[in-house]
Amino acid sequence: CFLRRRKEISFSTFNPSTAGNTIAPVINQVIKGMKISATFTAILVVRVSAFVPLSKLSHVSTELYSSGSPFGGQGLQWTAGDDPNAKTVRLRDKLQEADTERRKDQEAANQRERAAEIAREERLRKIKYMTDMPDSQPAGTVEEFMFKEGVQSELDKLDNELVGLLPVKRRVKEIAALLVLDKMRRKLGFETSVPSLHMSFTGAPGTGKTTVAVRMGQILAKMGYSRRGHVVLATRDDLVGQYVGHTAPKTKEMIKKAMGGVLLVDEAYYLYNAANDRDYGQESIEILLNVMENNRDDLVVAVAGYKDRMDKFFSYIPGMMSRIGNHIDFPNYSADELVQIATVMARNLEYDIDENAYPVFKAYIEKRMELPFFSNARTVRNAMDRARMNSAIRTFDKYAIQGFNGGVCTVKDLKSITAEDFQVLLDDILNADVDKRIFS
């Protein structure tokens, strides 16, 4: 502008008196143009620097005070980072993680929706099937299912092996009937659910609790409610440890052995010690309760013990009581039933009891029932073992010591149990001291 204006000035017509008036506007225009140019340059530099990578600016420091703080301290300053891609990489990773989580949530939601849709379709098909099915549709006979599944054979074994215990047998048959009818309903398409099969056996020792548990396990296996049908007997020593951290592994190991069958906890009230808050049995009980609830389709837990002590145990552990759906009380045997049990034991061992020996054995049982520590069938088993030993001593003395019949004995001699063999047991009670009678 200045040069162009100079061309307009004619030096030939230069007049000093008017020169100031002529040059002043030109100078003003030049100064104004320089200010505008400086402003545009500053703006352009600021905008361009905003797009320059951090690495280009890393050597440039923005400082509030280039020569230090006027207050004698470090000046407020900012220096750009060293890694130009750090923030970009972190942002990209976060976006990818969020996208992955969102995709997983969407897939899970789709799967749930599909499963619900399949369940609704299956439900509608079942409703249509049940609606169209006539009431006269044959479902088969109960006897057919009982024999086909082998349940009847197990009930027959229970009748043959257990003398008396009519309430127990009736309760077992009721459970078997529920399982059979439930399977018949399932065959026709009715809604079914596995009933609570956990059991409580209460009664005195030797009343057949373990035998009933074995038969129930086999019945459940026959009906498909148990994979193996075996019975694992456990006590406090098998479940509770001696120090911290020892109880859980022991309890879980016994549960693992019993999976697919029946876990029979004998004298279960010893698991809980109300007088000791630090007793480790409480930990075992909590594990059992959890398994009874979450694994009831694959494990049946049966607890056994004296009725009064079991009732007290259930009062301390109400969760155990609520999880058990079958409470079976085993009554004591009568003297006549114990004599029948002795007959069954002798038959299984291929012994013959003489007819005149039964009254002597019954007299022994009646006397023994009056003494402490009577154990029903277990007492009979011990008595039969002693009678067999007395028979062996009698036969050995007759043929080996005395040499009767040239020392040759017959099959009848080897199989017979006489009244003399039982009389030894009765004399031990009648003639022994009061303190020693309980061992007779």
Side-chain angles (χ1 to χ4, degrees), residues 102-114:
R102 183 167 57 255
R103 187 170 60 255
K104 289 182 178 179
D105 294 340
Q106 185 63 34
E107 291 177 356
N110 294 337
Q111 291 178 357
R112 290 194 298 268
E113 184 178 355
R114 180 57 181 165

Side-chain angles (χ1 to χ4, degrees), residues 347-387:
R347 183 179 67 244
N348 294 337
L349 295 173
E350 297 184 350
Y351 276 91
D352 294 331
I353 300 178
D354 293 345
E355 289 297 329
N356 58 355
Y358 283 107
V360 180
F361 180 72
K362 183 178 179 180
Y364 163 76
I365 289 297
E366 290 174 346
K367 290 293 184 179
R368 184 64 184 86
M369 293 175 68
E370 298 174 358
L371 299 177
F373 310 113
F374 179 73
S375 300
N376 291 281
R378 292 179 186 171
T379 300
V380 174
R381 183 182 61 191
N382 295 335
M384 288 299 300
D385 290 341
R386 290 193 59 192

Side-chain angles (χ1 to χ4, degrees), residues 21 61 86 138 194 204 206 222 227 255 280 349 371 395 406 408 424:
N21 297 331
S61 298
V194 178
K222 296 286 186 181
R227 290 185 291 110
I255 292 174
Y280 301 137
L349 295 173
L371 299 177
T395 303
V408 179
V424 177

Side-chain angles (χ1 to χ4, degrees), residues 66 126 196 198 210 253 328 404 434:
S66 58
K126 182 176 290 188
S196 176
H198 301 307
T210 304
E253 180 65 23
I328 304 176
F404 181 79
V434 177

Side-chain angles (χ1 to χ4, degrees), residues 7 28 59 100 146-147 151 272 322 414 439:
K7 293 180 181 180
N28 290 335
H59 65 282
T100 302
M146 294 283 284
F147 283 101
V151 177
Y272 182 78
S322 61
L414 297 177
F439 301 106

